[in-house]
Amino acid sequence: MSLIVMKFGGSSVGSTERMQRVARRIADYKEAGHKVVVVVSAMGDTTDDLIDQATKLNESPPAREMDMLLSTGEQISVALLSMAIHKLGHSAKSFTGWQAGFRTESVHGKARITDIQPDRLFRALDQGHAVIVAGFQGMTDDGEITTLGRGGSDTTAVALAAAINADVCEIFTDVDGIYSTDPRIVKCARKLNEISYDEMLELANLGAAVLHPRAVEYAKNYNVRLVVRSSFTQNEGTSVKGEAVMEQGIVVRGIAYDKNVARISILGVEDTPGVLAKVFGALASSGIDVDIIVQSGVQDGKADFSFTVGLGDKDRATAVVEGIRGEVPFRELETEENLVKVSIVGAGMVSNPGVAAKMFEAIYKLGVSIKLVSTSEIRLSCIIAAEPVHDVVRALHTAYGLDTAEQAFVGGPQDRR
């Protein structure tokens, strides 16, 4: 008998028919003798619909009230799924995040988990129930409901698997594993049998939507056995683990892209010590994450430098830089949108010369200019114009020998929660 955590995203439970399919899969696990804990997202577009209703009433709704509102979506899902399991002749018990023992910091909209007290879940398991837990939510020590932000249900599932020492955490989605790139763009994308935590973390941070970075971090830190598989088929999924076997001749394991990018350029800055510390210290104090930073050469004692931020942070970042102009004088401030970050990831890149040159050549052949470049031991990222991104991804996929003769399986619209 194994203790298994299963996570189903919103599209997997987006209709009555899909809910019944999920219930049947849980029942099959129960009938095989396993103990099962299931983490569920809100159904389909429920969260988006709730946000739309809120903003029609108030363009800037209070964060606390938004958490009160959005947490109801998962509560509906767990109750309905529990009912569907009962219909199949198995006992099930649903729990909100706070009933399941999730304690979080006091940050509405993107709280982090501080503790999990799963005593009630263990009692329910001992009584023979399938335990159904609302993802994406928790409660502060003083009783305030919080949500965990984007990817919160993935994080709930992996953190819970660590807390209850589960044998495996299975993430069910619309694709039957982790692919070398988005199979909606590249139909001949390569399905990976396994991938390392580090490679998956890079891909998740770089825009791959199949797993959220915080969930991968939890899996790595607590050595959670993680499997990504389809909720629509019985196909074997992809294992995310400490070390993954490298396929012969495959240096790049995955290609990701992120459209959530804006570039800010500060031109004509005095080339004096402490300038960068002042600029990026001010941005950090405002809670703005900075990604790629590039400084050009110095001319007449003046330097130019550029950096990227999330598209949603562009206006705030610009205001912060303008606000310190008295401390850090500069000639001009430029911003640019309609950009995308395209990245290649692979643990074998560091020991294989020519990987970067091949990427640059593939992009050059499409007539696309590279605006910024960033590297690490297992990752190379380029900022380019957004429009040709699909062509660039396909070209890179072919250039690194990742194309296969098989067609990737996609079951429905990809779920980002």
Side-chain angles (χ1 to χ4, degrees):
M1 179 184 291
S2 297
L3 175 56
I4 300 173
V5 172
M6 310 167 73
K7 181 265 176 177
F8 293 92
S11 57
S12 297
V13 293
S15 66
T16 301
E17 179 184 6
R18 292 185 177 189
M19 186 81 75
Q20 290 170 330
R21 184 187 297 117
V22 168
R24 180 68 264 171
R25 185 173 291 237
I26 295 166
D28 289 343
Y29 276 44
K30 289 277 291 175
E31 289 165 9
H34 302 299
K35 290 185 175 182
V36 180
V37 176
V38 184
V39 174
V40 189
S41 296
M43 296 176 65
D45 296 326
T46 298
T47 301
D48 290 338
D49 292 342
L50 291 172
I51 292 172
D52 288 343
Q53 292 181 52
T55 53
K56 285 177 182 177
L57 294 170
N58 184 337
E59 297 84 355
S60 301
R64 178 188 183 277
E65 303 310 322
M66 285 300 292
D67 277 359
M68 289 285 287
L69 175 67
L70 298 184
S71 63
T72 63
E74 279 72 19
Q75 190 167 340
I76 292 169
S77 292
V78 295
L80 290 175
L81 182 56
S82 180
M83 294 174 190
I85 295 168
H86 276 275
K87 177 67 175 178
L88 296 176
H90 292 274
S91 60
K93 198 167 187 178
S94 64
F95 296 86
T96 63
W98 46 96
Q99 287 176 323
F102 281 83
R103 295 293 178 265
T104 74
E105 60 188 11
S106 302
V107 178
H108 289 290
K110 54 178 180 180
R112 288 184 175 271
I113 299 166
T114 57
D115 188 29
I116 303 175
Q117 301 166 6
D119 295 350
R120 292 186 67 179
L121 306 188
F122 281 129
R123 289 197 295 271
L125 287 170
D126 289 342
Q127 293 165 1
H129 299 295
V131 171
I132 318 298
V133 177
F136 180 62
Q137 60 186 241
M139 180 175 283
T140 67
D141 288 338
D142 57 358
E144 291 292 325
I145 293 172
T146 55
T147 60
L148 307 183
R150 181 174 171 265
S153 293
D154 282 355
T155 306
T156 299
V158 179
L160 187 54
I164 65 176
N165 197 27
D167 294 286
V168 64
C169 178
E170 296 187 335
I171 306 292
F172 291 86
T173 182
D174 302 313
V175 292
D176 60 350
I178 296 165
Y179 281 82
S180 51
T181 195
D182 187 343
R184 290 169 180 78
I185 295 175
V186 181
K187 300 299 183 184
C188 58
R190 180 183 298 261
K191 181 184 170 185
L192 306 177
N193 293 324
E194 53 187 44
I195 188 170
S196 70
Y197 292 131
D198 288 336
E199 289 172 321
M200 189 65 244
L201 187 56
E202 285 280 11
L203 286 171
N205 277 315
L206 294 167
V210 68
L211 282 174
H212 192 270
R214 272 201 283 173
V216 183
E217 287 175 2
Y218 264 106
K220 179 181 178 180
N221 291 340
Y222 294 97
N223 199 30
V224 174
R225 184 184 166 209
L226 194 58
V227 177
V228 178
R229 57 190 308 182
S230 172
S231 58
F232 297 92
T233 74
Q234 297 294 330
N235 296 347
E236 290 293 326
T238 300
S239 295
V240 185
K241 55 201 295 190
E243 296 292 336
V245 176
M246 297 291 294
E247 294 183 60
Q248 186 69 30
I250 300 298
V251 176
V252 171
R253 301 269 283 165
I255 302 169
Y257 67 95
D258 184 2
K259 293 183 177 181
N260 181 37
V261 177
R263 179 173 71 162
I264 297 175
S265 298
I266 305 177
L267 310 178
V269 183
E270 290 286 345
D271 183 37
T272 56
V275 168
L276 294 181
K278 289 177 182 177
V279 172
F280 294 107
L283 291 166
S285 296
S286 297
I288 298 171
D289 290 327
V290 175
D291 187 13
I292 299 174
I293 304 171
V294 175
Q295 180 173 333
S296 64
V298 178
Q299 187 172 11
D300 298 328
K302 305 285 187 180
D304 301 337
F305 65 91
S306 299
F307 59 92
T308 61
V309 296
L311 192 57
D313 286 332
K314 178 183 73 77
D315 291 341
R316 282 201 306 133
T318 302
V320 168
V321 175
E322 290 283 10
I324 62 170
R325 197 165 192 165
E327 294 181 68
V328 185
F330 54 86
R331 184 182 75 252
E332 188 179 355
L333 184 66
E334 293 181 349
T335 63
E336 186 176 8
E337 299 181 19
N338 297 317
L339 300 173
V340 64
K341 178 169 65 176
V342 179
S343 307
I344 58 173
V345 173
M349 288 170 50
V350 68
S351 58
N352 284 270
V355 174
K358 187 175 288 188
M359 183 177 193
F360 300 151
E361 182 181 9
I363 295 174
Y364 161 73
K365 285 182 177 179
L366 293 173
V368 177
S369 297
I370 297 173
K371 299 174 183 290
L372 296 172
V373 176
S374 175
T375 66
S376 75
E377 287 188 344
I378 66 170
R379 180 260 305 159
L380 174 61
S381 298
C382 295
I383 302 295
I384 62 172
E387 184 177 349
V389 62
H390 290 182
D391 292 335
V392 169
V393 169
R394 293 187 191 103
L396 291 172
H397 201 268
T398 299
Y400 289 108
L402 294 172
D403 294 350
T404 68
E406 299 178 2
Q407 290 286 298
F409 173 83
V410 180
Q414 192 158 341
D415 175 47
R416 286 181 168 267
R417 281 277 301 285

